[in-house]
Amino acid sequence: MQREIIEHEDRWIILPLRQSRIVATEWHSNQVDLILDTGFKVVVGYDAELSLRTSKEKSPGRHELTHWSSEEAERILESEILSPVFFKSGGARIALRNGWLLLLADRPATSPAAVYSQSSLLWTRDGLSSQTEYPVLRIDPWTGRLVTTPEWPPRPSDLAINYESDDIND
């Protein structure tokens, strides 16, 4: 099992989830827990979608979990994870070996979405937790090389900017 999380400008690829198998599905009143054979748990809401081989949003084959019976959804989901991609916009795309995709929309959603490693929180729609169990490797989008410099701090939310000014320094 690879232990790194690859960070791109717009997404994380959580490599420790690769080759994990979804071995159990627990249906709750507002969420579905996907239990993996490696100790991970993926939590999704009932608005999570399944699609066969396409992630296009308007695809006629893309439906919410409730489109299928729980038995049929479990049969679809009980497969090996090939590509676990979690977007910084809050969505996710998990490709399964059987050709199905589990998709979480990145639009503002109130449904649960999380990834747990053993009992610690790893990812939510808000981003990665501040965990240290898995190293995060930032990759340059142009070269594909590892970025070793520190990140620029985010823009402060309280900057006093005068948008009506003609002065370039305002």
Side-chain angles (χ1 to χ4, degrees), residues 4-169:
E4 297 85 16
I5 296 173
I6 303 297
E7 180 177 9
H8 293 280
E9 187 174 356
D10 64 338
R11 70 191 77 194
W12 296 282
I13 302 171
I14 302 180
L15 294 179
L17 288 177
R18 278 193 178 162
Q19 300 177 334
S20 295
R21 290 190 59 82
I22 299 171
V23 294
T25 306
E26 297 175 357
W27 301 85
H28 302 282
S29 61
N30 67 336
Q31 70 187 39
V32 179
D33 295 352
L34 305 173
I35 311 302
L36 283 63
D37 61 355
T38 53
F40 287 95
K41 177 171 72 172
V42 178
V43 175
V44 298
Y46 282 98
D47 62 343
E49 297 175 310
L50 286 170
S51 177
L52 187 59
R53 295 183 180 87
T54 182
S55 61
K56 289 187 178 184
E57 193 164 344
K58 301 296 182 190
S59 171
R62 183 172 167 164
H63 300 286
E64 289 186 355
L65 284 176
T66 55
H67 175 79
W68 290 273
S69 68
S70 59
E71 293 82 15
E72 181 68 11
E74 288 175 13
R75 187 191 63 73
I76 292 169
L77 290 167
E78 287 182 351
S79 184
E80 181 182 359
I81 294 175
L82 296 180
S83 177
V85 180
F86 296 85
F87 297 95
K88 293 183 179 181
S89 58
R93 180 183 65 232
I94 300 174
L96 304 173
R97 177 162 301 285
N98 61 8
W100 286 88
L101 299 171
L102 176 64
L103 304 158
L104 302 176
D106 59 358
R107 61 183 176 265
T110 56
S111 65
V115 175
Y116 292 89
S117 170
Q118 304 302 331
S119 61
S120 62
L121 183 63
L122 184 60
W123 175 87
T124 66
R125 289 188 188 274
D126 295 328
L128 284 178
S129 69
S130 57
Q131 58 83 30
T132 59
E133 184 178 353
Y134 303 101
V136 178
L137 307 177
R138 290 185 300 127
I139 303 296
D140 182 284
W142 300 103
T143 65
R145 293 186 187 136
L146 183 64
V147 176
T148 56
T149 58
E151 279 190 72
W152 284 94
R155 178 178 159 186
S157 59
D158 60 344
L159 284 180
I161 299 175
N162 181 0
Y163 290 101
E164 303 300 320
S165 174
D166 290 333
D167 185 347
I168 194 170
N169 296 313

